């Protein structure tokens, strides 16, 4: 057998003995440990978990160095622990809710924007049965699904028309493919962005069939640079918001209005990829420099592109607003079918956009906006409540309230933090990484920051009902256990 040490290995009989002692799948299914799980879970899941544990254990017995071969009692305890772990794993969903105590509001790894309550309700209402996805109920005729949110998007941005695709990367790709396949698209060198590895503007451009024509330098691009590059091959002018970085110091970029005037003179469409898609001006909350969709439309961009799940605070989507003639062409492009959104997305997006019809309501009910706009006194009170709960937890060496910086994240406003309040803790007998790992793998799962030897809980990305849950999770994580990770 592979992994088995041959010839003169004195441990061989011991390995064979341990293998013989391993129970069969059937024996384990009848055991007191596994049987209860058969009542809760499909047999197939349980059998799979048991088989995997037995296979793993068999391999371990064959490969373990002689000095690590276990006693019979240890073998039983090992099996029990492994079965417990494997059954717990198949007993829960892979995609699970987590508590975000990281202080990063639009955390891409944690699903970016949490949805507003009405958006969730609308998904449930619409998707549990049939819905009016592509049927106009007044006339009975077949329509386009994107018509569901078109009027709302026009109203909120001032655009002539609008459409929706799967995400902003898809919005960029289909827009370039429609406007400029086989032609050149002029972009400033300072705006050739990469968002999280897989979205690189030059690569999206290549996939669209358009040719990238870079102008200017990394830190300075002038109107004359764009103008000098315009020729018979030019298909569009593209401006891209440098979402996740800022070029500071000796810099110059061309304002959208000037680019629009240039485009008009040469009869070329101007596209503005604004990234995070703020529908409200968030500068009153200290977030400056994030373009607002309606401002870009007013400045005359022919098409404005943005994400649905960044600052807009809705479902993952790519939103395109602008000139009716271009939107119609985009919707007729073959990629429109490949990139189309489903009814769940449209249900969530329609409900989220309706909240924006009343700005104050949007700030209260769109979770991402609430977290960003919440006054720091409210955040501080929440942190203090968490500190009080944690103050009573055995096993913590100290617990301390601290002022700190939270971030919008999701590739928005990289250089500006949000004033926030955190609770920093250190455990008596567990390093900070260990505590963070236990919190992450617990139920509920809690994600916190680890820094300066502490685990840090940021109250800006928590809601009031999560405070006690976090404290409970810490208490649980600090209880002594046999199978400590
Ligand atoms: C985030 C971002 C994208 C990609 O958007 P997704 O919705 O994540 O596909 C594209 N362009 C800019 C400027 C962005 O900030």
């Amino acid at each position: 057998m592979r992994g088995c040490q041959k010839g003169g290995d004195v441990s061989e009989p011991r390995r064979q003995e341990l293998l013989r002692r391993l129970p069969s799948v059937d024996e384990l299914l009848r055991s007191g440990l596994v049987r209860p799980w058969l009542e809760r879970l499909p047999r197939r899941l349980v059998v799979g978990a048991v088989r995997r544990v037995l296979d793993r254990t068999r391999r371990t017995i064959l490969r373990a160095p002689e000095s690590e071969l276990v006693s019979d009692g240890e073998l039983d305890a090992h099996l029990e622990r492994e079965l417990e772990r494997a059954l717990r794993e198949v007993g829960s969903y892979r995609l699970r809710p987590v508590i975000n105590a990281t202080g990063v509001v639009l955390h891409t790894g944690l699903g970016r924007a949490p949805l507003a309550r009405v958006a969730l309700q609308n998904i449930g209402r619409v998707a549990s049965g049939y819905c009016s996805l592509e049927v106009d109920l007044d006339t009975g005729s077949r329509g386009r699904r994107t018509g569901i949110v078109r009027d709302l998007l026009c109203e909120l941005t001032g655009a002539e028309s609008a459409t929706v695709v799967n995400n902003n990367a898809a919005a960029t790709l289909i827009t370039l493919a429609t406007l400029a396949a086989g032609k050149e698209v002029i972009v400033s060198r300072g705006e050739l962005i990469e968002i999280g590895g897989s979205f690189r503007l030059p690569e999206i451009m290549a996939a669209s069939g358009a040719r990238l024509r870079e102008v200017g330098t990394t830190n300075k691009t002038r109107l004359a640079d764009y103008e000098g590059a315009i020729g018979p091959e030019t298909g569009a002018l593209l401006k891209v918001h440098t979402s996740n970085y800022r070029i500071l110091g000796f810099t110059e970029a061309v304002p959208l209005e000037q680019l629009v005037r240039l485009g008009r003179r040469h009869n070329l469409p101007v596209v503005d990829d604004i990234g995070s898609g703020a529908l409200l001006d968030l500068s009153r909350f200290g977030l400056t420099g994030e373009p607002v969709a309606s401002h870009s439309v007013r400045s005359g961009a022919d098409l404005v592109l943005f994400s649905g799940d960044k600052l807009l605070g809705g479902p993952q989507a790519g939103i395109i607003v602008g000139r009716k003639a271009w939107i119609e062409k985009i919707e007729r492009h073959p990629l429109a079918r490949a990139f189309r959104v489903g009814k769940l997305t449209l249900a969530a997006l329609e409900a989220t956009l309706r909240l924006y019809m009343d700005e104050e309501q949007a700030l209260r009910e769109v979770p991402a906006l609430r977290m960003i706009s919440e006054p720091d006194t409210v955040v501080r009170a929440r942190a203090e409540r968490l500190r009080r709960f944690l103050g009573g937890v055995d096993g913590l060496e100290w617990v301390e309230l601290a002022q700190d910086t939270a971030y919008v994240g999701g590739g928005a406003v990289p250089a500006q933090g949000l004033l926030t309040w955190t609770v920093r803790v250190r455990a008596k007998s567990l390093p900070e990484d260990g505590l963070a790992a236990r919190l992450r793998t617990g139920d509920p799962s809690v994600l916190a920051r680890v820094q300066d030897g502490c685990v840090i809980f940021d109250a800006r990305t928590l809601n009031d009902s999560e405070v006690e849950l976090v404290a409970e999770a810490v208490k649980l994580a600090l209880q002594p256990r046999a199978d400590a990770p």
Side-chain angles (χ1 to χ4, degrees):
M1 237 180 277
R2 227 165 59 83
C4 179
Q5 298 170 19
K6 298 245 166 61
D9 181 356
V10 292
S11 66
E12 187 56 27
R14 178 68 193 134
R15 290 183 205 274
Q16 291 307 325
E17 171 60 19
L18 283 169
L19 288 181
R20 260 195 305 279
R21 286 193 59 88
L22 276 184
S24 68
V25 173
D26 281 329
E27 279 169 325
L28 283 176
L29 290 175
R30 285 193 302 269
S31 71
L33 180 73
V34 179
R35 214 170 345 108
W37 288 89
L38 284 168
E39 282 156 32
R40 298 211 290 107
L41 295 177
R43 188 178 173 83
R44 191 165 171 180
L45 282 179
V46 176
V47 171
V50 169
R51 280 227 167 87
R52 278 193 298 280
V53 169
L54 280 175
D55 285 348
R56 263 204 310 270
T57 310
R58 209 168 281 126
R59 276 198 303 275
T60 310
I61 292 172
L62 288 170
R63 286 178 191 169
E66 197 180 332
S67 60
E68 284 173 27
L69 284 176
V70 295
S71 69
D72 296 351
E74 284 168 334
L75 178 66
D76 291 345
H78 169 88
L79 264 182
E80 232 168 78
R81 244 184 354 254
E82 291 294 306
L83 280 169
E84 193 64 68
R85 200 200 304 261
L87 289 165
R88 243 186 294 136
E89 198 175 297
V90 294
S92 52
Y93 288 104
R94 284 289 177 89
L95 186 56
R96 297 179 227 176
V98 307
I99 294 178
N100 176 11
T102 65
V104 179
V105 177
L106 301 170
H107 197 302
T108 302
L110 306 183
R112 282 198 190 156
L115 292 179
R117 192 186 305 267
V118 288
L120 292 174
Q121 285 166 346
N122 205 34
I123 291 175
R125 219 169 49 86
V126 158
S128 55
Y130 298 101
C131 61
S132 58
L133 185 62
E134 291 185 347
V135 175
D136 180 333
L137 296 178
D138 286 332
T139 62
S141 63
R142 190 79 185 263
R144 268 188 210 283
R145 59 181 64 194
T146 47
I148 291 167
V149 287
R150 196 170 346 261
D151 291 347
L152 280 165
L153 285 168
C154 291
E155 174 77 24
L156 290 167
T157 62
E160 266 173 38
S161 189
T163 191
V164 183
V165 290
N166 183 56
N167 55 19
N168 195 20
T172 309
L173 183 48
I174 194 173
T175 298
L176 295 173
T178 305
L179 270 59
K183 293 183 170 173
E184 285 182 358
V185 175
I186 304 177
V187 192
S188 161
R189 280 210 171 79
E191 298 175 355
L192 295 175
I193 61 166
E194 164 169 332
I195 307 259
S198 46
F199 181 101
R200 291 182 132 187
L201 193 67
E203 287 163 18
I204 295 272
M205 186 83 76
S208 76
R211 288 195 307 278
L212 175 63
R213 179 73 191 266
E214 303 170 39
V215 295
T217 60
T218 303
N219 57 330
K220 284 210 173 206
T221 303
R222 302 183 180 83
L223 193 64
D225 296 323
Y226 286 93
E227 188 146 31
I230 292 177
E233 292 289 289
T234 311
L237 307 180
L238 173 64
K239 191 168 175 60
V240 185
H241 179 51
T242 57
S243 298
N244 49 4
Y245 65 98
R246 292 284 183 268
I247 296 179
L248 304 171
F250 186 61
T251 68
E252 194 171 326
V254 177
L256 180 62
E257 292 81 354
Q258 288 185 26
L259 212 55
V260 165
R261 275 202 293 279
L262 182 66
R264 297 258 162 86
R265 271 210 306 284
H266 293 270
N267 204 19
L268 288 169
V270 174
V271 179
D272 192 15
D273 174 6
I274 62 171
S276 65
L279 292 180
L280 304 177
D281 188 343
L282 297 172
S283 52
R284 65 174 147 138
F285 305 111
L287 300 182
T288 54
E290 269 311 298
V292 180
S294 58
H295 296 180
S296 283
V297 171
R298 206 180 316 135
S299 298
D302 295 275
L303 292 167
V304 180
L305 323 177
F306 50 97
S307 297
D309 56 349
K310 291 184 181 172
L311 282 174
L312 195 153
Q316 178 191 304
I319 296 168
I320 309 173
V321 305
R323 302 252 175 256
K324 191 158 180 267
W326 285 121
I327 297 284
E328 280 173 1
K329 267 189 103 164
I330 286 170
E331 290 200 324
R332 284 197 303 271
H333 194 282
L335 282 175
R337 173 57 196 258
F339 292 166
R340 79 178 180 185
V341 290
K343 60 190 174 184
L344 307 188
T345 300
L346 285 166
L349 187 58
E350 183 182 13
T352 306
L353 291 172
R354 282 173 72 101
L355 289 174
Y356 278 92
M357 300 308 278
D358 175 348
E359 214 173 289
E360 292 311 310
Q361 191 183 20
L363 289 172
R364 264 196 324 272
E365 294 185 30
V366 175
L369 291 186
R370 178 189 63 73
M371 290 182 226
I372 288 166
S373 65
E374 201 162 58
D376 79 295
T377 49
V378 178
V379 178
R380 182 181 175 144
R382 186 178 303 123
E384 275 175 351
R385 204 157 70 83
L386 179 59
R387 185 190 51 180
R388 274 199 302 282
F389 277 122
L390 289 174
V393 174
D394 272 348
L396 284 179
E397 190 179 326
W398 51 261
V399 177
E400 151 190 302
L401 189 77
Q403 191 178 314
D404 208 327
T405 307
Y407 290 93
V408 172
V413 220
Q416 290 162 32
L418 299 158
L419 175 60
T420 193
W421 289 87
T422 62
V423 181
R424 304 161 77 98
V425 305
R426 184 173 289 170
K428 283 179 193 149
S429 56
L430 192 62
E432 66 275 17
D433 292 341
L435 177 55
R438 284 196 191 175
L439 288 167
R440 209 174 53 236
T441 51
D443 181 20
S445 170
V446 177
L447 279 91
R449 285 208 291 276
V450 174
Q451 206 182 310
D452 313 327
C454 322
V455 174
I456 303 174
F457 304 101
D458 193 318
R460 191 168 279 282
T461 49
L462 294 175
N463 63 44
D464 288 332
S465 62
E466 288 170 334
V467 170
E468 227 174 319
L469 295 174
V470 171
E472 281 302 313
V474 173
K475 205 182 292 178
L476 209 65
L478 291 173
Q479 271 168 13
R481 52 168 103 173
D483 62 335

